[in-house]
Amino acid sequence: MTRQSRTSPAASEQSLHQAYDTALLDLDGVVYAGGEAIAHAVDCLAAARADGMHLAYVTNNALRTPDAVAEHLGELGIPTEAAEVITSAQAVARLIAEQVEPGSKVLVIGGDGLRVALRERGLVPVESAEEEGLAAVVQGYGGPDLPWGRFAEASYAVNRGVPWFASNTDLTIPGARGIAPGNGAAVEVVRIATGAEPQVAGKPLPPMHRETVLRTGAKRPLVVGDRLDTDIEGAFNGEVDSLLVLTGVTDAEQLLRAEPRHRPTYVDRDLRGLLTGQPEVEPVAEGFRCGGWTAVATNGGVLELRGQDGEGEGGEDPLDGLRALCAAAWTAAGDGVCTLDAAKALARLGL
């Protein structure tokens, strides 16, 4: 399916882990949340790997090193090599290294993931804006306890004209207790204080996609994520297919209102979707049908959902109803954002 034609979730007769050679998996909200594995993730990833699919973990979270991420995944029951983890810290370190001299000093506002990635590229991480010969400032997620003074340190350097880079600009990050501010919120602090704009490496931008392809060698990749504005848009920009799972940030209503660059190829509840095919969404006279559900965009500006008999519950799987609603909403929206009222339809699905 091309980028231009994505007005409906796609079908796949093959299970996705057989149709694609590599799963490029986001971590937060897809594999784990708050450090704990999301339901079904461990078993599904093991089954996909056992059947020949390569797994790579691609995260905008620059806090931890690939070694630390791999160790954590292993503790959750997902055996992982550090080389299978690609972080926005690695992508931004490569971006910086292409623009400064080898051995240059870089002010780090963030965690160990940034420091290790910079050293891998022959750069020298430092802690003070007063370092002589400072070549760049890099900002990445530093965890909830990052001192406020670190933002001031970045601002001092950026206000003097030192080039500013950011690993990513995700405004939020999912955790065990809910949604918390992400690195994008911290970047906004420095932006407000300086009026400057950073160069950004992470999803959905090309540096992250390039880093992932270079490190994995994927030929038929499938991006798997929970965020429309990073994972799915990144797949769109890279012209590769994507699977949205509803275990993280994005909910069903946001999915229906997705603009073209935020529309995934496939949608499923969780990582069990990797191990199955995807049902066809068929255009019918009154709208779009998937499974036992038919979705209709009415003249009254409402997205309506009907079962096979016009009144029933439409079969066992509410995800089929959501897929049909996506087709109706995205088709009605065209290249824009759907404004139809979907509240009653989603309530009927329990989504």
Side-chain angles (χ1 to χ4, degrees):
M1 178 173 287
T2 67
R3 298 197 301 177
Q4 291 75 18
S5 64
R6 193 164 297 162
T7 55
S8 171
S12 177
E13 293 185 2
Q14 284 184 293
S15 65
L16 298 185
H17 79 291
Q18 295 171 331
Y20 298 90
D21 69 340
T22 306
L24 305 179
L25 296 131
D26 184 45
L27 287 171
D28 293 308
V30 175
V31 178
Y32 55 64
E36 298 298 324
I38 288 173
H40 310 293
V42 174
D43 291 343
C44 291
L45 293 174
R49 185 191 289 274
D51 215 16
M53 188 180 216
H54 299 294
L55 306 179
Y57 301 94
V58 185
T59 177
N60 263 1
N61 191 331
L63 177 60
R64 294 187 294 172
T65 66
D67 283 319
V69 173
E71 182 179 357
H72 179 209
L73 289 171
E75 291 169 352
L76 296 178
I78 306 169
T80 306
E81 300 292 331
E84 296 173 309
V85 178
I86 300 93
T87 72
S88 63
Q90 294 170 322
V92 77
R94 188 186 297 270
L95 187 63
I96 295 169
E98 291 171 345
Q99 299 181 42
V100 304
E101 295 295 324
S104 292
K105 296 177 182 179
V106 180
L107 173 62
V108 174
I109 312 299
D112 286 342
L114 281 175
R115 295 178 180 87
V116 168
L118 290 169
R119 293 189 186 104
E120 184 183 37
R121 293 286 153 211
L123 302 172
V124 180
V126 299
E127 304 302 314
S128 173
E130 305 310 313
E131 285 278 351
E132 185 176 351
L134 189 64
V137 178
V138 64
Q139 192 170 357
Y141 183 66
D145 299 321
L146 187 69
W148 186 259
R150 300 306 296 157
F151 305 141
E153 204 69 26
S155 299
Y156 301 147
V158 173
N159 274 324
R160 292 203 302 266
V162 177
W164 178 30
F165 297 81
S167 63
N168 67 297
T169 52
D170 297 15
L171 290 173
T172 60
I173 186 168
R177 296 173 58 191
I179 303 299
N183 190 56
V187 167
E188 285 299 313
V189 173
V190 177
R191 181 186 280 118
I192 291 168
T194 64
E197 292 288 337
Q199 294 186 52
V200 183
K203 297 179 286 187
L205 297 173
M208 189 66 172
H209 183 72
R210 178 182 58 159
E211 191 73 22
T212 300
V213 171
L214 287 172
R215 289 179 180 267
T216 65
K219 303 299 183 186
R220 290 180 288 108
L222 177 70
V223 170
V224 184
D226 70 307
R227 300 184 68 111
L228 301 180
D229 59 347
T230 55
D231 305 314
I232 306 308
E233 185 177 338
F236 177 90
N237 290 338
E239 299 189 59
V240 298
D241 287 345
S242 60
L243 166 66
L244 178 79
V245 291
L246 301 175
T247 49
V249 169
T250 300
D251 62 24
E253 183 174 0
Q254 291 168 330
L255 177 61
L256 295 184
R257 306 201 185 287
E259 58 187 290
R261 61 182 176 162
H262 291 165
R263 296 171 187 169
T265 314
Y266 312 106
V267 59
D268 222 305
R269 285 182 186 80
D270 51 49
L271 287 176
R272 286 177 292 181
L274 271 181
L275 304 180
T276 66
Q278 293 287 309
E280 184 176 3
V281 181
E282 302 175 277
V284 292
E286 63 271 37
F288 294 88
R289 178 183 297 150
C290 185
W293 297 102
T294 299
V296 179
T298 71
N299 292 333
V302 175
L303 277 176
E304 188 175 284
L305 198 59
R306 302 169 184 169
Q308 287 178 322
D309 59 3
E311 298 295 337
E313 290 309 306
E316 298 180 354
D317 192 350
L319 259 293
D320 286 345
L322 179 59
R323 294 176 181 115
L325 284 170
C326 284
W330 297 350
T331 299
D335 291 333
V337 174
C338 179
T339 58
L340 301 175
D341 183 358
K344 288 184 179 179
L346 291 176
R348 188 174 177 189
L349 292 174
L351 296 172

